[in-house]
Short mmCIF file of all heavy atoms in Angstrom, two decimals:
data_model
loop_
_atom_site.label_atom_id
_atom_site.label_comp_id
_atom_site.label_asym_id
_atom_site.label_seq_id
_atom_site.Cartn_x
_atom_site.Cartn_y
_atom_site.Cartn_z
N LEU A 398 -9.77 40.78 -1.14
CA LEU A 398 -9.98 40.16 0.17
C LEU A 398 -11.41 40.38 0.64
O LEU A 398 -12.05 39.47 1.17
CB LEU A 398 -9.00 40.72 1.20
CG LEU A 398 -7.52 40.36 1.03
CD1 LEU A 398 -6.68 40.98 2.14
CD2 LEU A 398 -7.32 38.84 1.02
N ASP A 399 -11.91 41.60 0.44
CA ASP A 399 -13.29 41.90 0.85
C ASP A 399 -14.31 41.12 0.04
O ASP A 399 -15.36 40.73 0.56
CB ASP A 399 -13.57 43.41 0.69
CG ASP A 399 -12.94 44.19 1.83
OD1 ASP A 399 -12.66 43.56 2.88
OD2 ASP A 399 -12.73 45.41 1.68
N GLU A 400 -13.96 40.95 -1.23
CA GLU A 400 -14.88 40.23 -2.11
C GLU A 400 -15.09 38.80 -1.65
O GLU A 400 -16.17 38.24 -1.78
CB GLU A 400 -14.24 40.18 -3.50
CG GLU A 400 -15.03 40.86 -4.59
CD GLU A 400 -14.17 40.93 -5.83
OE1 GLU A 400 -13.82 39.87 -6.39
OE2 GLU A 400 -13.83 42.05 -6.21
N ASP A 401 -14.03 38.20 -1.12
CA ASP A 401 -14.09 36.78 -0.77
C ASP A 401 -14.57 36.52 0.64
O ASP A 401 -15.08 35.44 0.93
CB ASP A 401 -12.71 36.11 -0.94
CG ASP A 401 -12.28 36.08 -2.39
OD1 ASP A 401 -13.16 36.32 -3.25
OD2 ASP A 401 -11.10 35.84 -2.66
N HIS A 402 -14.35 37.47 1.54
CA HIS A 402 -14.66 37.20 2.95
C HIS A 402 -15.38 38.35 3.63
O HIS A 402 -15.03 39.49 3.47
CB HIS A 402 -13.38 36.87 3.73
CG HIS A 402 -12.81 35.57 3.33
ND1 HIS A 402 -11.87 35.46 2.35
CD2 HIS A 402 -13.07 34.31 3.75
CE1 HIS A 402 -11.56 34.19 2.18
NE2 HIS A 402 -12.29 33.47 3.01
N TYR A 403 -16.32 37.91 4.44
CA TYR A 403 -17.04 38.87 5.25
C TYR A 403 -16.25 39.12 6.52
O TYR A 403 -15.66 38.19 7.09
CB TYR A 403 -18.42 38.29 5.59
CG TYR A 403 -19.18 39.10 6.60
CD1 TYR A 403 -19.97 40.18 6.19
CD2 TYR A 403 -19.11 38.79 7.96
CE1 TYR A 403 -20.66 40.93 7.13
CE2 TYR A 403 -19.79 39.53 8.89
CZ TYR A 403 -20.57 40.61 8.47
OH TYR A 403 -21.24 41.35 9.39
N GLY A 404 -16.27 40.35 7.01
CA GLY A 404 -15.64 40.64 8.31
C GLY A 404 -14.14 40.42 8.30
O GLY A 404 -13.46 40.79 7.34
N LEU A 405 -13.65 39.80 9.36
CA LEU A 405 -12.22 39.49 9.50
C LEU A 405 -11.35 40.73 9.29
O LEU A 405 -10.26 40.66 8.72
CB LEU A 405 -11.79 38.39 8.52
CG LEU A 405 -12.57 37.08 8.54
CD1 LEU A 405 -12.10 36.17 7.40
CD2 LEU A 405 -12.39 36.35 9.86
N LYS A 409 -7.60 40.92 7.60
CA LYS A 409 -7.38 41.50 6.26
C LYS A 409 -6.36 42.62 6.36
O LYS A 409 -5.47 42.73 5.50
CB LYS A 409 -8.70 42.03 5.70
CG LYS A 409 -9.65 40.93 5.30
CD LYS A 409 -10.95 41.54 4.82
CE LYS A 409 -12.00 40.50 4.59
NZ LYS A 409 -13.35 41.10 4.48
N PHE A 432 -2.34 30.77 10.02
CA PHE A 432 -3.71 31.03 10.46
C PHE A 432 -4.16 29.90 11.37
O PHE A 432 -4.14 28.74 10.98
CB PHE A 432 -4.63 31.16 9.25
CG PHE A 432 -4.33 32.36 8.43
CD1 PHE A 432 -3.53 32.28 7.30
CD2 PHE A 432 -4.83 33.61 8.79
CE1 PHE A 432 -3.23 33.40 6.55
CE2 PHE A 432 -4.54 34.74 8.04
CZ PHE A 432 -3.73 34.64 6.92
N VAL A 433 -4.56 30.28 12.57
CA VAL A 433 -4.95 29.27 13.55
C VAL A 433 -6.41 29.49 13.95
O VAL A 433 -6.82 30.62 14.22
CB VAL A 433 -4.06 29.36 14.80
CG1 VAL A 433 -4.51 28.35 15.86
CG2 VAL A 433 -2.61 29.10 14.43
N GLY A 434 -7.15 28.42 13.99
CA GLY A 434 -8.54 28.55 14.44
C GLY A 434 -9.31 27.28 14.20
O GLY A 434 -8.80 26.36 13.55
N PRO A 435 -10.52 27.21 14.75
CA PRO A 435 -11.32 25.99 14.58
C PRO A 435 -11.69 25.79 13.10
O PRO A 435 -11.52 26.70 12.29
CB PRO A 435 -12.56 26.26 15.42
CG PRO A 435 -12.54 27.70 15.77
CD PRO A 435 -11.18 28.22 15.55
N PRO A 436 -12.17 24.61 12.77
CA PRO A 436 -12.48 24.33 11.36
C PRO A 436 -13.61 25.23 10.84
O PRO A 436 -14.48 25.64 11.60
CB PRO A 436 -12.96 22.88 11.37
CG PRO A 436 -12.57 22.32 12.68
CD PRO A 436 -12.44 23.46 13.63
N GLY A 437 -13.53 25.54 9.57
CA GLY A 437 -14.61 26.26 8.92
C GLY A 437 -14.66 27.75 9.16
O GLY A 437 -15.65 28.41 8.85
N VAL A 438 -13.59 28.33 9.72
CA VAL A 438 -13.63 29.77 9.94
C VAL A 438 -12.99 30.53 8.78
O VAL A 438 -12.88 31.74 8.81
CB VAL A 438 -12.93 30.18 11.26
CG1 VAL A 438 -13.74 29.72 12.45
CG2 VAL A 438 -11.52 29.63 11.32
N GLY A 439 -12.56 29.79 7.76
CA GLY A 439 -12.07 30.47 6.56
C GLY A 439 -10.57 30.55 6.44
O GLY A 439 -10.06 31.36 5.67
N LYS A 440 -9.85 29.72 7.15
CA LYS A 440 -8.38 29.77 7.08
C LYS A 440 -7.90 29.44 5.67
O LYS A 440 -7.13 30.19 5.07
CB LYS A 440 -7.76 28.76 8.08
CG LYS A 440 -8.14 29.02 9.51
CD LYS A 440 -7.48 28.04 10.44
CE LYS A 440 -7.90 26.59 10.23
NZ LYS A 440 -9.31 26.32 10.55
N THR A 441 -8.38 28.34 5.16
CA THR A 441 -7.95 27.92 3.83
C THR A 441 -8.38 28.94 2.79
O THR A 441 -7.60 29.34 1.93
CB THR A 441 -8.57 26.56 3.48
OG1 THR A 441 -8.44 25.72 4.60
CG2 THR A 441 -7.90 25.94 2.29
N SER A 442 -9.62 29.36 2.90
CA SER A 442 -10.11 30.22 1.83
C SER A 442 -9.47 31.60 1.88
O SER A 442 -9.33 32.25 0.86
CB SER A 442 -11.64 30.27 1.83
OG SER A 442 -12.11 30.92 2.95
N ILE A 443 -9.02 32.01 3.05
CA ILE A 443 -8.37 33.33 3.09
C ILE A 443 -6.99 33.25 2.42
O ILE A 443 -6.54 34.20 1.78
CB ILE A 443 -8.28 33.90 4.52
CG1 ILE A 443 -8.12 35.43 4.44
CG2 ILE A 443 -7.13 33.36 5.32
CD1 ILE A 443 -9.06 36.17 5.30
N VAL A 444 -6.35 32.10 2.52
CA VAL A 444 -5.05 31.95 1.86
C VAL A 444 -5.23 31.96 0.34
O VAL A 444 -4.47 32.58 -0.40
CB VAL A 444 -4.33 30.67 2.33
CG1 VAL A 444 -2.98 30.53 1.63
CG2 VAL A 444 -4.13 30.69 3.84
N LYS A 445 -6.29 31.29 -0.07
CA LYS A 445 -6.61 31.29 -1.50
C LYS A 445 -6.81 32.73 -1.98
O LYS A 445 -6.37 33.14 -3.05
CB LYS A 445 -7.90 30.51 -1.70
CG LYS A 445 -7.81 29.48 -2.80
CD LYS A 445 -9.15 28.86 -3.06
CE LYS A 445 -9.30 27.52 -2.40
NZ LYS A 445 -10.59 26.89 -2.59
N ARG A 457 -2.05 23.85 -2.52
CA ARG A 457 -2.24 23.45 -1.13
C ARG A 457 -1.60 22.08 -0.89
O ARG A 457 -1.80 21.16 -1.67
CB ARG A 457 -3.74 23.37 -0.86
CG ARG A 457 -4.11 22.78 0.44
CD ARG A 457 -5.61 22.84 0.63
NE ARG A 457 -5.97 21.97 1.72
CZ ARG A 457 -6.25 20.70 1.60
NH1 ARG A 457 -6.24 20.14 0.41
NH2 ARG A 457 -6.55 19.97 2.65
N LEU A 499 0.10 26.77 0.39
CA LEU A 499 -0.56 26.63 1.68
C LEU A 499 -0.15 25.31 2.32
O LEU A 499 -0.34 24.23 1.75
CB LEU A 499 -2.07 26.65 1.49
CG LEU A 499 -2.90 26.23 2.72
CD1 LEU A 499 -2.69 27.20 3.86
CD2 LEU A 499 -4.36 26.14 2.37
N ASP A 501 -1.22 23.07 4.83
CA ASP A 501 -2.44 22.89 5.61
C ASP A 501 -2.22 21.93 6.78
O ASP A 501 -1.52 20.93 6.63
CB ASP A 501 -3.53 22.32 4.69
CG ASP A 501 -4.89 22.81 5.09
OD1 ASP A 501 -4.99 23.59 6.06
OD2 ASP A 501 -5.88 22.42 4.43
N GLU A 502 -2.83 22.24 7.90
CA GLU A 502 -2.78 21.37 9.09
C GLU A 502 -1.36 21.06 9.52
O GLU A 502 -1.00 19.90 9.75
CB GLU A 502 -3.54 20.07 8.83
CG GLU A 502 -4.96 20.31 8.40
CD GLU A 502 -5.80 19.05 8.48
OE1 GLU A 502 -5.38 18.04 7.90
OE2 GLU A 502 -6.84 19.09 9.14
N THR A 549 -1.68 26.72 8.06
CA THR A 549 -2.90 26.74 8.86
C THR A 549 -2.80 25.66 9.93
O THR A 549 -2.11 24.67 9.75
CB THR A 549 -4.18 26.48 8.05
OG1 THR A 549 -4.21 25.10 7.71
CG2 THR A 549 -4.28 27.33 6.83
N ALA A 550 -3.49 25.88 11.02
CA ALA A 550 -3.50 24.90 12.11
C ALA A 550 -4.77 25.11 12.93
O ALA A 550 -5.36 26.19 12.90
CB ALA A 550 -2.28 25.10 12.99
N ASN A 551 -5.19 24.07 13.62
CA ASN A 551 -6.34 24.21 14.50
C ASN A 551 -5.94 24.79 15.84
O ASN A 551 -6.71 25.48 16.49
CB ASN A 551 -7.04 22.86 14.72
CG ASN A 551 -7.87 22.46 13.52
OD1 ASN A 551 -7.95 21.30 13.18
ND2 ASN A 551 -8.47 23.44 12.85
N LEU A 569 -8.00 33.09 14.05
CA LEU A 569 -9.35 33.33 13.56
C LEU A 569 -10.26 32.58 14.52
O LEU A 569 -10.22 31.36 14.58
CB LEU A 569 -9.55 32.73 12.17
CG LEU A 569 -8.97 33.47 10.99
CD1 LEU A 569 -7.55 33.02 10.71
CD2 LEU A 569 -9.83 33.24 9.78
N TYR A 572 -17.32 32.58 14.61
CA TYR A 572 -18.20 33.70 14.25
C TYR A 572 -19.41 33.76 15.18
O TYR A 572 -19.85 32.72 15.68
CB TYR A 572 -18.69 33.53 12.82
CG TYR A 572 -17.59 33.59 11.79
CD1 TYR A 572 -17.23 32.48 11.05
CD2 TYR A 572 -16.91 34.80 11.56
CE1 TYR A 572 -16.23 32.53 10.10
CE2 TYR A 572 -15.89 34.85 10.61
CZ TYR A 572 -15.56 33.73 9.89
OH TYR A 572 -14.56 33.80 8.97
N GLU A 576 -22.78 37.30 12.56
CA GLU A 576 -21.76 37.21 11.51
C GLU A 576 -22.07 36.06 10.56
O GLU A 576 -21.97 36.18 9.34
CB GLU A 576 -20.37 36.99 12.14
CG GLU A 576 -19.77 38.25 12.72
CD GLU A 576 -18.49 37.97 13.51
OE1 GLU A 576 -18.39 36.92 14.17
OE2 GLU A 576 -17.59 38.82 13.46
N ALA A 579 -24.73 36.91 8.17
CA ALA A 579 -24.23 37.78 7.11
C ALA A 579 -23.41 36.98 6.10
O ALA A 579 -23.53 37.17 4.88
CB ALA A 579 -23.39 38.90 7.72
N ILE A 580 -22.57 36.07 6.62
CA ILE A 580 -21.74 35.26 5.72
C ILE A 580 -22.63 34.41 4.82
O ILE A 580 -22.43 34.31 3.61
CB ILE A 580 -20.76 34.38 6.52
CG1 ILE A 580 -19.72 35.25 7.22
CG2 ILE A 580 -20.07 33.37 5.60
CD1 ILE A 580 -18.82 34.50 8.19
N ALA A 581 -23.66 33.83 5.44
CA ALA A 581 -24.57 32.97 4.66
C ALA A 581 -25.26 33.79 3.57
O ALA A 581 -25.32 33.39 2.41
CB ALA A 581 -25.58 32.33 5.58
N LYS A 583 -24.50 36.85 2.27
CA LYS A 583 -23.71 37.58 1.28
C LYS A 583 -22.71 36.70 0.53
O LYS A 583 -22.27 37.06 -0.54
CB LYS A 583 -22.95 38.72 1.98
CG LYS A 583 -23.85 39.72 2.66
CD LYS A 583 -23.10 41.01 2.88
CE LYS A 583 -23.98 42.08 3.49
NZ LYS A 583 -24.23 41.89 4.93
N PHE A 584 -22.31 35.61 1.15
CA PHE A 584 -21.26 34.81 0.52
C PHE A 584 -21.69 33.39 0.17
O PHE A 584 -21.63 32.99 -0.97
CB PHE A 584 -20.00 34.78 1.41
CG PHE A 584 -19.35 36.11 1.51
CD1 PHE A 584 -19.77 37.04 2.45
CD2 PHE A 584 -18.31 36.46 0.66
CE1 PHE A 584 -19.18 38.29 2.53
CE2 PHE A 584 -17.72 37.70 0.73
CZ PHE A 584 -18.15 38.62 1.67
N LEU A 585 -22.13 32.66 1.21
CA LEU A 585 -22.39 31.24 0.97
C LEU A 585 -23.55 31.03 0.00
O LEU A 585 -23.47 30.18 -0.88
CB LEU A 585 -22.65 30.52 2.30
CG LEU A 585 -21.54 30.66 3.35
CD1 LEU A 585 -21.88 29.87 4.61
CD2 LEU A 585 -20.21 30.19 2.80
N LYS A 588 -22.61 32.06 -3.64
CA LYS A 588 -21.61 31.12 -4.15
C LYS A 588 -22.29 29.80 -4.54
O LYS A 588 -22.05 29.24 -5.61
CB LYS A 588 -20.59 30.86 -3.04
CG LYS A 588 -19.33 30.20 -3.50
CD LYS A 588 -18.19 30.45 -2.51
CE LYS A 588 -18.14 29.35 -1.46
NZ LYS A 588 -17.11 29.57 -0.45
N ASN A 589 -23.14 29.31 -3.65
CA ASN A 589 -23.76 28.01 -3.91
C ASN A 589 -24.84 28.07 -4.99
O ASN A 589 -25.06 27.10 -5.70
CB ASN A 589 -24.32 27.42 -2.63
CG ASN A 589 -23.25 26.71 -1.84
OD1 ASN A 589 -22.88 25.58 -2.17
ND2 ASN A 589 -22.69 27.40 -0.86
N GLY A 619 -17.20 27.65 13.12
CA GLY A 619 -17.03 28.15 11.76
C GLY A 619 -18.33 28.10 10.99
O GLY A 619 -19.42 28.13 11.57
N VAL A 620 -18.21 28.01 9.66
CA VAL A 620 -19.42 28.02 8.84
C VAL A 620 -19.43 26.85 7.86
O VAL A 620 -20.11 26.89 6.85
CB VAL A 620 -19.57 29.35 8.07
CG1 VAL A 620 -19.86 30.49 9.02
CG2 VAL A 620 -18.33 29.66 7.25
N ARG A 621 -18.67 25.82 8.20
CA ARG A 621 -18.57 24.72 7.26
C ARG A 621 -19.90 23.96 7.13
O ARG A 621 -20.39 23.73 6.04
CB ARG A 621 -17.46 23.77 7.69
CG ARG A 621 -16.95 22.97 6.53
CD ARG A 621 -15.74 22.21 6.92
NE ARG A 621 -14.52 22.96 6.69
CZ ARG A 621 -13.31 22.51 7.02
NH1 ARG A 621 -13.20 21.33 7.61
NH2 ARG A 621 -12.24 23.22 6.77
N SER A 622 -20.49 23.60 8.27
CA SER A 622 -21.79 22.90 8.22
C SER A 622 -22.84 23.83 7.64
O SER A 622 -23.72 23.41 6.89
CB SER A 622 -22.24 22.45 9.59
OG SER A 622 -21.25 21.76 10.23
N GLU A 624 -22.43 26.06 5.44
CA GLU A 624 -22.29 26.04 3.99
C GLU A 624 -22.91 24.77 3.40
O GLU A 624 -23.58 24.81 2.38
CB GLU A 624 -20.81 26.14 3.59
CG GLU A 624 -20.65 26.10 2.07
CD GLU A 624 -19.31 26.63 1.59
OE1 GLU A 624 -18.34 26.60 2.36
OE2 GLU A 624 -19.25 27.07 0.43
P1 ADP B 1018 -10.94 26.31 7.38
O1 ADP B 1018 -9.81 26.27 6.44
O2 ADP B 1018 -10.75 27.32 8.47
O3 ADP B 1018 -11.35 25.00 7.93
P2 ADP B 1018 -12.46 27.06 5.08
O4 ADP B 1018 -11.51 28.06 4.56
O5 ADP B 1018 -12.47 25.74 4.41
O6 ADP B 1018 -12.21 26.84 6.61
O7 ADP B 1018 -13.90 27.67 5.11
C1 ADP B 1018 -15.09 26.94 4.94
C2 ADP B 1018 -16.03 27.69 4.06
O8 ADP B 1018 -16.53 28.82 4.72
C3 ADP B 1018 -15.37 28.19 2.79
O9 ADP B 1018 -16.23 27.99 1.72
C4 ADP B 1018 -15.17 29.66 3.06
O10 ADP B 1018 -15.21 30.41 1.88
C5 ADP B 1018 -16.35 29.99 3.95
N1 ADP B 1018 -16.04 31.11 4.83
C6 ADP B 1018 -15.40 31.06 6.00
N2 ADP B 1018 -15.27 32.28 6.55
C7 ADP B 1018 -15.86 33.13 5.70
C8 ADP B 1018 -16.05 34.55 5.70
N3 ADP B 1018 -15.62 35.32 6.70
N4 ADP B 1018 -16.67 35.09 4.68
C9 ADP B 1018 -17.12 34.32 3.66
N5 ADP B 1018 -16.98 33.00 3.59
C10 ADP B 1018 -16.35 32.39 4.60
#
Side-chain angles (χ1 to χ4, degrees):
L398 291 181
D399 282 340
E400 241 170 64
D401 294 346
H402 291 92
Y403 171 86
L405 305 174
K409 288 177 188 165
F432 293 96
V433 177
V438 290
K440 300 181 296 294
T441 315
S442 68
I443 202 130
V444 180
K445 229 187 261 179
R457 171 176 166 272
L499 168 64
D501 212 1
E502 304 195 307
T549 73
N551 284 144
L569 283 90
Y572 295 113
E576 282 172 325
I580 292 172
K583 300 200 177 76
F584 293 85
L585 304 181
K588 195 159 91 182
N589 277 281
V620 292
R621 203 172 270 176
S622 309
E624 179 161 25

